[in-house]
Amino acid sequence: MSERNRSPFAIGFLAGIMNRDKVSSFELMLWRFCRGNVFLKTADLTELVEDVTTNTLQAKTVFIIFFQGEQLKNKCKKICDGFKATIYPCPETLKERREMLNGVSMRLDELKTVLDQSLNLRRSILVNAAQSIKTWFAQVHKMKAIYHTLNMFSHDQKSIIAECWAPKSEINRIREILDLETKKIDTNFQTIVHFITSKEAPPTFNRVDKFTSGFQNIVNAYGVPSYREINPTPFYAITFPFLFGVMFGDAGHGLLMLLAAGYLIKKENYLKKAIKGNEIFELFFGGRYIMFLMAVFSIYAGFLYNDFFSKSTNIFGSKWKVTLGKDFPFEDIQQFTLNPDPYANETYKMYSGTPYPFGIDPVWQLATNKITFTNGLKMKFSVIIGIMQMVFGLVIGLKNHLFFRRKISILFEFIPQIIFISLIFVYLCLMIFIKWIKYAGTDDKLTGACAPNILLELINMFFLKDGTVTVVDGEKKYDECKRLYPGQHHIQMVFVIVAVLCVPVMLFTKPLLKLREHNKRTKYGSRFRGHVNPLSVNGHSSDEDDKHDKAERMGHTSNSVINLEDDAELENEEHFEFGEVFVEQTIHTIEYFLGCVSHTASYLRLWALSLAHAELSEVLWTMLFKMGLNMAPPVGAFVMFFIFSAWGVITIGILCVMEGLSAFLHALRLHWVEFQSKFYKGEGYEFMPFSFEKILNEAELAE
């Protein structure tokens, strides 16, 4: 019906959509303002509808209002506007509504087709882009790195100049690559590689591979080696896992660690990608070769201690046997002492006289004094290893002094150090070997049961006392049983006196010689400073020629940094403070002489951790398996399954992982403090070459 022919009392309607939470208020408002003369019908939509104003999904309700007359129509529209309801036009006739519905359906189908095509196109574009996204990122990072490096070049109108460090062994290769790239761009300019002299200390460059990189990282964590200083990494590859094995000595636990390290090595190509981003697993993976060597030395030490999961193995046959007859009343005694005399008659001879071929005899596993025996053995073994490593560190320090031509350091630093440690601590090792060789398990008073105590001998040596003399009722008595060798007291007195004299030699001589050299250089050298040497072909000053000559004597090239003495005599000749040099030498002297005592005691951690590891393993075995083995067969077999599972978990979790980490940290401390303090400065900085691989790896980690 058209507007013109419509009756003023004809029924009209409005259709629209609004928020669901406003429906009740909307209905109440219509009822009050229209006085009940309208009819409202609502239906909730099952799907959320996007609000075009807020771009959020909201719950909506469709409504239709029936009314009569234009006045009610206007009121209903105003109320709909107030509640921000959206009113949609709806034809009044059925035909028009059907036509409108068909048109909307066609438009929806067309829009759906366009959207599907757009999604497919976008998906194909993104798929193609995803295949190249890594390449694009790599190209962008490379370009940024290249331009960042180019920004550090200096330039003029025709050329650019780069100053950089490069390994000397790679100079020819660098030249070849530069010449090759110059020919490719077809230019008339030629690249020139020129060596320049720099007062800046060069970076330290150490070539590493996947095997040595872990050990080099340990060294660098303490300090990067100074330029041309001896790098201790090759020594770490042997001494570090060896000390770990001494503390972790169990062949069974070492075998478990060996299997874990072998798996990491075998699957390294796969695991390198799989664990990327996991810092803990990357730490273990980076040290896989360290773990492998630590496991090998743990197995070796385990066979030395004859420990395989705290149990001994009788591979070569015990050298001890019980020769008593069957009529001996074994049931009347709880323990029996074996006769250690190899020269006893056949009836009482229980020790063959020849030691077990490798490691500790398995008979000690059954002995009640096992801990007493192994304690003494491991304690002496730890002291010998520690002193050997400290002396080796001093020898490495001598190599550094010889390379840098530090004559003062050799004569008045190394020699007093090596004399002191030799006369006190190497002599201590010598007494241990004399005691092992001289005294046997016999009843002889001179070579048997009266072996002297090495610790008491060392204390008597420091107090210049004769250990063989005892005073009883004011009368001196001599006990030759406590004498290791003839003339021991007099030799030890000489050793102590010479060792004490090494302290002032090291403390005063070096600073005084440096002071005399500085005064001589100040008095006579200033008159020639700045004068041109007529014999110098390059026209350098006499000072520069002197520095150059010193460098040549040391084996440095013109582009090397000269590093002669600790006070940097070439670059800092004019700066000399005797007080600073003397205080530094005093600290160094006190640190060394007191450190020899404390560091030797510190190596006893090898014995302590080895004892703790062995006892924990033995207690765990005894506590767990004893419960299952004491039960009746049907129940015991069932319980043993769970006991073995618990034993395996505790063995791997505590004895292998936690004890292994503890032994690793103690081995690290022994190398950083006790070993490296004898020769290593670690004041350099690492050579960081321009590398696309490193740049891309850092970019991946940042993402």
Side-chain angles (χ1 to χ4, degrees), residues 391 394-395 413-423 426 592:
V391 172
L394 291 177
V395 174
E413 187 172 300
F414 168 75
I415 292 179
Q417 288 177 346
I418 198 68
I419 290 176
F420 179 85
I421 198 171
S422 298
L423 296 183
V426 176
Y592 175 76

Side-chain angles (χ1 to χ4, degrees), residues 124-138:
S124 62
I125 293 174
L126 292 177
V127 169
N128 294 332
Q131 296 175 354
S132 305
I133 189 68
K134 290 186 177 180
T135 304
W136 294 344
F137 272 114

